[in-house]
Amino acid sequence: MIRLPSPTRFSRRFVRVWQRNLSVYRKTWKISFLPPLLEPLLYLLAFGVGLAVMVGTLSHAGREISYLAFIAPALLSVAIMYNAFFETTYNSFVRMYYQKTFDAMLATPLNLEEIILGELVWAATKSLIATLLMGTVISAFGLLAFPASLWLLPLALLGGLAFAALGMICTGLIPNIETFNVPIFLIITPMFLFSGTFFPLANLPSWAQMLAQALPLTHLVALARACALHAWQAELWWSLAYLLLFTALAVPLAIALMVRRLIH
């Protein structure tokens, strides 16, 4: 039986877990900064020089935009998903199982719920850092509309927390580190391909469009595209509500599953 965490189990001590992970991150920041800086350049080069020539322009929110402008916010959304999900899967599993970092933290006043919450918040912070770095590179190509694109930063925290919780749910369920290949293949890869990232959802069959609407990345991409292009539409309130509800449900479930795993 899964017991959701009580609010009384949390305090500001979870910030110490975030601070610990930040201290480790600062020691390897030169390596950690490279992927968010170079990845968008590779994507923009590949799609801009190659695929964009064949695609031309797309119709979005009642106006014609270039293919690069269409995929740029999707690249940011994918970075948010990847940074948060892989932080709370592989990285958290290593800290929990191999490095015994969680055991060391339990020797302090921290409890399990605060440790897991600190891990989730740190993963969302990594998504924010990646968005800031990638956004800086993408904006240099004139693909982000300001000041509307500044909304991408709080969106990165929300999306990062959602996918961090999804990753932590997987960590609470899988028996060993090799099994992470299963949720990556069954969940992350389909979202990467079929969430409106590289082509409009309208190009999919109606049944596939309905399935895509159940994916959190679909709504994150839609919101990121609206911020990046300054093209807000009324139906995007549904995407925001979906993402908020998904996060509100996934975070306590992730904490509960991890507490159950660590206790047993």
Side-chain angles (χ1 to χ4, degrees):
M1 181 178 179
I2 301 173
R3 293 185 178 181
L4 296 180
S6 169
T8 59
R9 296 287 295 169
F10 299 97
S11 72
R12 287 179 292 180
R13 290 192 298 260
F14 79 89
V15 176
R16 295 301 184 184
V17 180
W18 178 91
Q19 186 180 25
R20 179 263 171 201
N21 290 338
L22 177 62
S23 298
V24 174
Y25 180 83
R26 289 172 62 184
K27 294 180 180 179
T28 59
W29 69 269
K30 293 181 180 179
I31 297 175
S32 301
F33 268 38
L34 285 177
L37 288 174
L38 297 180
E39 185 178 355
L41 291 175
L42 296 176
Y43 273 110
L44 294 176
L45 179 63
F47 288 108
V49 177
L51 191 58
V53 177
M54 295 185 292
V55 174
T57 60
L58 295 171
S59 178
H60 179 74
R63 58 177 172 170
E64 295 293 318
I65 61 172
S66 69
Y67 185 63
L68 275 183
F70 180 80
I71 67 166
L75 297 179
L76 290 171
S77 302
V78 170
I80 291 170
M81 176 179 71
Y82 278 170
N83 277 272
F85 183 84
F86 286 109
E87 179 63 28
T88 55
T89 49
Y90 286 104
N91 291 356
S92 289
F93 192 93
V94 167
R95 287 192 286 268
M96 171 186 70
Y97 188 81
Y98 294 103
Q99 296 178 344
K100 305 298 182 183
T101 303
F102 290 7
D103 292 344
M105 290 180 181
L106 287 173
T108 72
L110 287 163
N111 58 41
L112 285 174
E113 289 84 354
E114 290 166 342
I115 292 173
I116 305 307
L117 180 59
E119 290 280 301
L120 293 172
V121 175
W122 168 245
T125 303
K126 285 195 69 176
S127 292
L128 174 63
I129 294 172
T131 301
L132 186 60
L133 293 173
M134 289 186 67
T136 301
V137 175
I138 291 174
S139 63
F141 290 85
L143 298 174
L144 299 181
F146 288 96
S149 291
L150 294 176
W151 286 105
L152 288 168
L153 299 179
L155 181 63
L157 286 174
L158 175 60
L161 194 57
F163 284 105
L166 179 61
M168 195 64 80
I169 289 172
C170 296
T171 303
L173 293 173
I174 63 106
N176 52 61
I177 197 168
E178 290 80 10
T179 315
F180 280 129
N181 291 325
V182 176
I184 290 171
F185 174 72
L186 295 179
I187 302 174
I188 299 303
T189 300
M191 281 197 287
F192 173 74
L193 296 173
F194 301 111
S195 294
T197 46
F198 300 112
F199 52 85
L201 289 177
N203 292 1
L204 295 172
S206 57
W207 63 267
Q209 292 183 40
M210 294 179 62
L211 287 177
Q213 291 299 326
L215 305 176
L217 185 62
T218 298
H219 301 280
L220 181 60
V221 168
L223 291 168
R225 196 165 278 141
C227 295
L229 301 176
H230 196 190
W232 186 268
Q233 295 175 297
E235 57 265 26
L236 292 173
W237 289 110
W238 151 246
S239 292
L240 180 60
Y242 175 98
L243 212 53
L244 287 168
L245 180 61
F246 181 91
T247 305
L249 295 176
V251 168
L253 178 60
I255 295 174
L257 287 171
M258 283 297 294
V259 168
R260 186 184 68 171
R261 174 178 185 139
L262 292 166
I263 289 178
H264 295 94

